[in-house]
């Protein structure tokens, strides 16, 4: 899919359910074109989920549920940050 990034909910650093350290940059975007292409040997399942239906998922149905729920809560509460955060140079 072609996507225009618009915001971020932040950067998440955690140990995954497979016991690996993960640094996840989460972005919000708008679909501008294209279509979803799955690498079926790499992806077991995918689907669109409305935010209003998300709470019905059980933790065991989600990969790294704690982090996914943090992201959901940030989006639902409109706690979004501008992309310019990633353009600031550190001295």
């Amino acid at each position: 899919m072609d996507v225009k990034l618009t915001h971020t909910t932040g950067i998440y650093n955690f140990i995954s359910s497979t016991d690996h350290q993960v640094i996840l940059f989460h972005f919000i975007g708008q679909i501008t074109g294209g279509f979803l292409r799955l690498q079926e040997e790499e992806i077991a399942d995918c689907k669109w989920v409305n935010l209003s239906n998300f709470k019905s998922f059980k933790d065991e149905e989600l990969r790294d549920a704690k982090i996914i729920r943090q992201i959901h809560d940030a989006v639902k509460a409109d706690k979004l940050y501008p992309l310019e955060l990633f353009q600031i140079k550190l001295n």
Side-chain angles (χ1 to χ4, degrees):
M1 302 191 95
D2 302 321
V3 177
K4 177 184 176 192
L5 299 180
T6 59
H7 295 86
T8 181
T9 62
I11 302 169
Y12 303 82
N13 185 359
F14 61 99
I15 302 299
S16 73
S17 57
T18 58
D19 204 30
H20 291 89
Q21 181 174 2
V22 175
I23 299 173
L24 173 73
F25 293 78
H26 181 260
F27 296 97
I28 304 293
Q30 295 175 337
I31 298 170
T32 60
F35 57 93
L36 185 62
R37 285 182 240 159
L38 298 178
Q39 300 293 326
E40 293 189 22
E41 64 277 358
E42 297 178 13
I43 299 173
D45 188 23
C46 75
K47 61 180 148 185
W48 293 107
V49 178
N50 292 327
L51 283 178
S52 59
N53 297 337
F54 183 80
K55 288 283 187 182
S56 66
F57 282 90
K58 297 175 184 157
D59 283 355
E60 50 276 359
E61 295 177 279
L62 303 169
R63 185 172 176 186
D64 300 306
K66 180 180 175 184
I67 299 300
I68 298 299
R69 292 199 186 282
Q70 283 180 342
I71 293 169
H72 168 269
D73 293 346
V75 172
K76 192 88 169 158
D78 205 29
K79 290 186 178 179
L80 308 178
Y81 302 97
L83 296 178
E84 288 78 23
L85 287 176
F86 296 103
Q87 297 172 345
I88 298 172
K89 293 183 180 179
L90 301 175
N91 294 328

